[in-house]
Amino acid sequence: MNEPHLPQAPCRRTPGTAASIVMGERKIDLAAFEERVSRAVSGFEALGVREDDAVLLLLRNDIAFLEASAALSRLGAYPVPANWHGRADEVEFLIRDSGARTAVVHADLAPLVAGADRLRLLWVRTPSEVAAAYDLADAQCGVPPGGTDWESWLCAHAPASAPARPSRGAIVYTSGTTGIPKGVQRNPYPDAERERLMSVMMRGAFGLTQGCRTIVCGPLYHAMPNVHARNALAALGPDGVIVIEPRFDARRLLELIEGHRIQQLILPPVMFIRLLRLPEPARRRHDLSSLRYVIHSAAPCPLDIKRKMIEWWGPIIHEFYGTTETGLITLANAEEFLRKPGTLGRPVPQAKLKVIDEHGREAPVATPGEICAINRLYPDFTYRNLPGERRKLDRAGLVATGDIGYVDEDGYLFLCDRKTDMVISGGVNIYPAEIEAHLHAMPGLRDNAVFGIPDEEYGEALAAYVETMPGAQVDENEIRAYLAQRLARFMLPKVIRFVAALPRADNGKIYKRRLAEPYWQGLDRRI
């Protein structure tokens, strides 16, 4: 198997420092981290965790998350990162669906597992950095009386001596923005060479060269920060740094970039937006010259936002396209974006992509259809407990992504919308992303979501929920007039609502399902 050829970020080493993981005032060097991971391997084995078992990680961003995840990976078990923003019944669904019998839990999240009696619980004291970030009281952060403390548990076990088993990666549950979450479970790598090539590809795409210095500021339960952290650990070398942030803060990010001479970042577009909202003096105050490679994905990035980030940080902004199921498929650098605004790039080596029309045929150039793709370096996957759902996605060896897009005459991919977001009004297919793009460009609006609602005459109509910028005076008539100058009549929203904040996941995706559900209640249809 040939080495994949991907653009390598020109990251520089900062000599004279030992590789370390940093969180607030805490710092652990790589050797100490490896010893703790090895002790955790022994501890999980003593609890009866075996290959293919699932272990729930109900943890905020913390060094303990990386320790537990790495240990389970070496055991050939599946870490199951849980979205701790959810309710107790949603966490219970993950426990039940994954079959987890063991969980590692931050102390302040105890209410989310209060009813999970069959779980063996390992408690991590909620660290002061997390407590400060989420305004938690001391009483919420301590290990429950009689509970097994993660620190004491690690110290009670000797480092493991057995070789690592084939890695499975994490079972990542889809976001559930449009339905019940499904756990994406990958097979183990068939051989060490395939796993090595995968690591080379991911580190190249993410701009992680040996000794790189990076920050993990997205939630580790989400696929992108999770994969980023795992690959950053592999790229630490003798003098790299991983800074873990409990939550994203735009001002603090700039401080950390300067203070740690950060070279590489992964940021979803929502973080770009928050950075650009900072006052000009705050944006210019810090030395960001160490940055060499910044990459984004997870949600569409408004074109004007990306242009402004390139103007500010330079041509170091990259973008990739992929899904939890397919993994990395395409990659675009800043030059390609500026030449072809909106492109997601061309397929990386070992990836194959086709756009399929509604009849199952490959769509002509520049014609939208469903994006179907595969990266041959990834082991195949199934959905935990739902093998039939996996088979539904098969398209002659490719995986149907549910995304609508097209490929231009030069082979560059462009995304139109999610297939599940598509609205059919009077028999006409409407892709909300096009409307959202115009609303993003409208002065005075901060964010928006467009989705389908029931309509007696046309089947479906459009609703637009919008956030305004602080102090902006924008009314419904102005929005309608603005869109009417730019869109066909059938694409104009029937309903426009102003909201203080849209329901949003930490990766930037808006929970449209939560906005749409009240309109469909009591009806026996959803389209």
Side-chain angles (χ1 to χ4, degrees), residues 200-214:
V200 169
M201 180 194 70
M202 293 304 297
R203 281 184 277 166
F206 283 8
L208 289 163
T209 55
Q210 285 295 104
C212 252
R213 307 171 73 82
T214 188

Side-chain angles (χ1 to χ4, degrees), residues 239-278:
D239 49 19
V241 171
I242 299 175
V243 179
I244 302 175
E245 277 291 272
R247 70 186 306 176
F248 176 78
D249 179 272
R251 290 178 186 270
R252 179 166 167 77
L253 179 68
L254 299 183
E255 294 172 2
L256 290 171
I257 292 170
E258 180 178 31
H260 290 279
R261 306 305 296 158
I262 295 300
Q263 299 163 329
Q264 185 270 358
L265 293 171
I266 290 185
L267 303 173
V270 66
M271 294 182 184
F272 288 166
I273 293 170
R274 292 173 185 172
L275 284 161
L276 288 167
R277 284 183 195 156
L278 292 174

Side-chain angles (χ1 to χ4, degrees), residues 135-455:
D135 196 25
L136 302 173
D138 288 345
Q140 297 173 268
C141 299
V143 172
T148 302
D149 173 62
W150 177 256
E151 289 296 323
S152 301
W153 179 78
L154 282 182
C155 293
H157 293 90
S161 56
R165 297 175 176 87
S167 171
R168 273 87 167 144
I171 296 178
V172 176
Y173 277 79
T174 56
S175 64
T177 55
T178 56
I180 296 174
K182 298 189 290 290
V184 178
Q185 173 182 316
R186 292 204 177 276
N187 297 331
Y189 285 96
D191 53 67
E193 176 65 4
R194 175 101 162 256
E195 186 171 9
R196 185 188 71 82
L197 288 172
M198 169 64 87
S199 181
V200 169
M201 180 194 70
M202 293 304 297
R203 281 184 277 166
F206 283 8
L208 289 163
T209 55
Q210 285 295 104
C212 252
R213 307 171 73 82
T214 188
I215 300 173
V216 177
C217 50
L220 281 165
Y221 64 72
H222 186 260
M224 188 169 67
N226 194 291
V227 172
H228 173 213
R230 188 162 67 246
N231 282 278
L233 278 170
L236 265 181
D239 49 19
V241 171
I242 299 175
V243 179
I244 302 175
E245 277 291 272
R247 70 186 306 176
F248 176 78
D249 179 272
R251 290 178 186 270
R252 179 166 167 77
L253 179 68
L254 299 183
E255 294 172 2
L256 290 171
I257 292 170
E258 180 178 31
H260 290 279
R261 306 305 296 158
I262 295 300
Q263 299 163 329
Q264 185 270 358
L265 293 171
I266 290 185
L267 303 173
V270 66
M271 294 182 184
F272 288 166
I273 293 170
R274 292 173 185 172
L275 284 161
L276 288 167
R277 284 183 195 156
L278 292 174
E280 189 70 17
R283 289 171 50 190
R284 302 297 176 187
R285 183 175 301 141
H286 299 283
D287 177 7
L288 309 181
S289 61
S290 61
L291 280 177
R292 295 289 180 267
Y293 198 102
V294 178
I295 191 164
H296 70 93
S297 187
C301 185
L303 300 187
D304 63 319
I305 294 297
K306 187 163 180 176
R307 287 193 187 97
K308 289 175 181 177
M309 285 301 300
I310 293 172
E311 290 170 3
W312 179 13
W313 285 3
I316 63 171
I317 310 292
H318 299 69
E319 181 171 5
F320 75 90
Y321 170 76
T323 68
T324 306
E325 290 82 353
T326 65
L328 177 70
I329 298 297
T330 68
L331 189 64
N333 61 31
E335 184 276 327
E336 289 170 315
F337 167 80
L338 293 172
R339 180 162 46 89
K340 292 177 175 284
T343 186
L344 301 173
R346 291 185 287 190
V348 299
Q350 303 296 340
K352 183 178 180 182
L353 180 151
K354 286 185 178 181
V355 175
I356 305 298
D357 67 17
E358 58 187 4
H359 303 294
R361 299 187 294 258
E362 188 168 3
V365 168
T367 302
E370 184 172 14
I371 300 168
C372 300
I374 192 170
N375 187 316
R376 298 181 186 89
L377 287 180
Y378 283 84
D380 197 14
F381 75 95
T382 188
Y383 289 117
R384 189 84 164 181
N385 302 319
L386 294 169
E389 292 298 308
R390 167 65 180 90
R391 290 191 291 271
K392 290 178 184 178
L393 300 182
D394 187 70
R395 301 292 186 273
L398 303 180
V399 176
T401 66
D403 289 331
I404 302 297
Y406 65 90
V407 173
D408 74 2
E409 65 279 2
D410 297 318
Y412 284 86
L413 178 66
F414 292 79
L415 189 65
C416 298
D417 214 330
R418 287 288 299 170
K419 186 176 181 180
T420 49
D421 284 347
M422 186 180 72
V423 175
I424 305 175
S425 183
V428 178
N429 294 348
I430 303 173
Y431 298 109
E434 183 177 355
I435 305 161
E436 290 169 344
H438 286 292
L439 289 173
H440 274 300
M442 182 176 177
L445 297 188
R446 180 166 63 181
D447 210 347
N448 72 90
V450 177
F451 53 92
I453 59 174
D455 184 89

